[in-house]
Amino acid sequence: MEKITKSDKEWATLLEPEAYQVTRRAGTERAFTGKYHDYKGGGQFTCICCGHLLFEANTKFDSGTGWPSFWQPATSESVYEKPDYSLFRKRTEILCAKCDAHLGHSFPDGPKPTGIRYCINSASLNLTEDQVYCESCAKFLADRYVEGTCPHCNYNGARGDQCDKCGKLLQPQELLSPICAHCHNRPVRKPTSHLYIDLPKLSDKIAGFAKKAGASGNWTLNAVTTTEGWLRKGLEARPITRDLTWGVPVPHKGYESKVFYVWFDAPIGYVSQTKRHLPDRWEYWWKNPDGTELYQFMAKDNIPFHTVMFPAYQIASGEDWTMLHHISSTEYLNYEGTKFSKSLGIGVFGNNVR
């Protein structure tokens, strides 16, 4: 394997401060603060410095320590070990086999079959997940342009963002027998990296907000039950970026070629549009929680984006925002036994009027 060697100054320029301190200065992030310590999804973990494959997500387990823990590396050439006497006792340091980045340490208290716990800093890792890519169209597909069978109700017409029959929110990778909505060929999966919002870390605050606002704002019943269902199931980290050519560019090092996922930036558009039209008074509406009540109206498929996701963004910012007070959410409008859908041409629309 060809090693990657850079000067300390080059690493400091390439890496975010925390990643630099951990990987090049053998630092340790605080327990339960890393973005991957509670991650339960799929994918592969690569080195934040050089992109070398380190661990498969299916070997990750909950060690209760507050750091991502794995029971084996991805391959025999993923990492290497060396003795560490920095705390006046012998430990086993784990480093990236390609660039010598400090990752963490290993301990002989892991699960079978190895019995080893690879205790790794989140700051040293990058998560790569398989996303849906159409080779015929030569592009990653937006969620709604992947069609297939719903894994929950077997409806053969679900899209990669949602099943219109059972109402479940989906990821494109979950669809059975997927096809590209543009060319109708079967897409493949390609690995790519995304930014995530750590919903598990925000779960208690979101639940507290929903309980208080649901009662004081008299939320409609389907909004209450949908939100409670999301919280009861357990929130998972969700990607907030996509590999598309249109959208809002991501102003983050290493992600400049990506755009924000539409349901990340769309609710934020409420704020940005207010600021655009009222540049001197937008904060009177959006940063005045004691003097402003936010009412929102929608169909039930958009409930979680407004009762869970948008509040999560506001809470995560640490700023004092005007948050959802009342939500009036309807059931689906049905037409001839199925859900009204403009994109699928199901229903009666203005251009049909003669």
Side-chain angles (χ1 to χ4, degrees):
M1 179 190 304
E2 184 178 350
K3 286 275 193 177
I4 292 179
T5 304
K6 296 183 185 295
S7 68
D8 189 65
K9 185 176 181 180
E10 287 176 308
W11 285 124
T13 301
L14 289 170
L15 300 169
E16 296 291 337
E18 185 181 27
Y20 170 76
Q21 288 298 324
V22 168
T23 60
R24 315 322 303 188
R25 287 284 182 263
T28 302
E29 66 198 15
R30 289 189 296 114
F32 300 101
T33 64
K35 59 184 176 180
Y36 299 130
H37 89 270
D38 197 35
Y39 178 75
K40 297 180 175 65
Q44 298 177 320
F45 290 93
T46 58
C47 176
I48 193 70
C49 299
C50 68
H52 185 53
L53 176 60
L54 300 174
F55 299 95
E56 299 280 358
N58 60 10
T59 65
K60 186 176 183 293
F61 68 98
D62 184 4
S63 65
T65 61
W67 289 280
S69 298
F70 305 85
W71 49 264
Q72 76 175 15
T75 73
S76 60
E77 295 185 335
S78 293
V79 302
Y80 72 95
E81 303 176 353
K82 76 174 186 179
D84 176 11
Y85 297 94
S86 60
L87 296 182
F88 306 104
R89 61 186 176 87
K90 183 180 178 181
R91 295 184 297 166
T92 302
E93 182 182 6
I94 304 300
L95 301 98
C96 172
K98 192 165 188 176
C99 72
D100 300 322
H102 169 78
L103 307 174
H105 294 83
S106 67
F107 302 91
D109 57 5
K112 294 180 179 179
T114 64
I116 304 296
R117 170 171 58 93
Y118 292 86
C119 187
I120 308 298
N121 291 281
S122 289
S124 68
L125 301 174
N126 193 31
L127 176 63
T128 299
E129 283 194 288
D130 287 343
Q131 297 292 324
V132 179
Y133 183 87
C134 179
E135 293 181 319
S136 299
C137 299
K139 64 182 179 180
F140 285 98
L141 296 175
D143 297 4
R144 66 186 296 106
Y145 295 127
V146 185
E147 299 175 351
T149 301
C150 174
H152 302 286
C153 70
N154 292 319
Y155 172 60
N156 186 23
R159 293 179 296 194
D161 55 352
Q162 185 173 355
C163 174
D164 284 341
K165 185 173 183 180
C166 69
K168 294 281 189 182
L169 296 181
L170 301 170
Q171 296 286 353
Q173 308 91 301
E174 296 179 83
L175 288 177
L176 306 177
S177 303
I179 61 170
C180 170
H182 299 296
C183 67
H184 301 291
N185 287 318
R186 189 180 181 103
V188 298
R189 294 187 181 189
K190 280 194 173 184
T192 185
S193 298
H194 287 295
L195 295 176
Y196 290 74
I197 181 166
D198 192 353
L199 290 178
K201 187 180 291 187
L202 301 167
S203 182
D204 289 344
K205 291 183 178 180
I206 295 171
F209 153 76
K211 183 177 181 180
K212 181 179 178 181
S216 64
N218 192 28
W219 290 5
T220 48
L221 181 60
N222 59 2
V224 173
T225 56
T226 298
T227 305
E228 289 178 345
W230 268 54
L231 293 167
R232 184 168 52 250
K233 180 182 176 182
L235 300 179
E236 298 179 356
R238 293 180 67 89
I240 60 170
T241 55
R242 289 292 189 270
D243 292 286
L244 302 173
T245 56
W246 51 268
V248 178
V250 179
H252 187 73
K253 186 185 296 184
Y255 293 83
E256 295 87 351
S257 63
K258 300 178 187 291
V259 298
F260 283 117
Y261 171 46
V262 63
W263 272 116
F264 175 73
D265 66 34
I268 297 173
Y270 299 139
V271 182
S272 62
Q273 284 299 306
T274 307
K275 184 175 182 179
R276 179 182 179 185
H277 294 289
L278 298 171
D280 300 323
R281 301 192 66 223
W282 71 274
E283 290 186 333
Y284 173 79
W285 299 97
W286 283 104
K287 290 198 170 181
N288 183 20
D290 295 327
T292 304
E293 290 184 347
L294 175 60
Y295 285 70
Q296 295 189 301
F297 303 85
M298 65 201 66
K300 75 175 191 179
D301 52 340
N302 289 334
I303 289 172
F305 298 114
H306 294 82
T307 64
V308 176
M309 302 302 293
F310 186 32
Y313 311 152
Q314 294 177 300
I315 293 169
S317 75
E319 299 181 24
D320 199 17
W321 293 98
T322 298
M323 298 179 69
L324 175 65
H325 171 66
H326 174 76
I327 179 172
S328 178
S329 44
T330 65
E331 292 295 320
Y332 292 136
L333 178 62
N334 291 324
Y335 179 78
E336 295 185 349
T338 188
K339 181 191 169 188
F340 213 91
S341 174
K342 184 176 180 181
S343 62
L344 297 177
I346 300 172
V348 178
F349 308 98
N351 58 348
N352 299 131
V353 177
R354 295 288 188 268

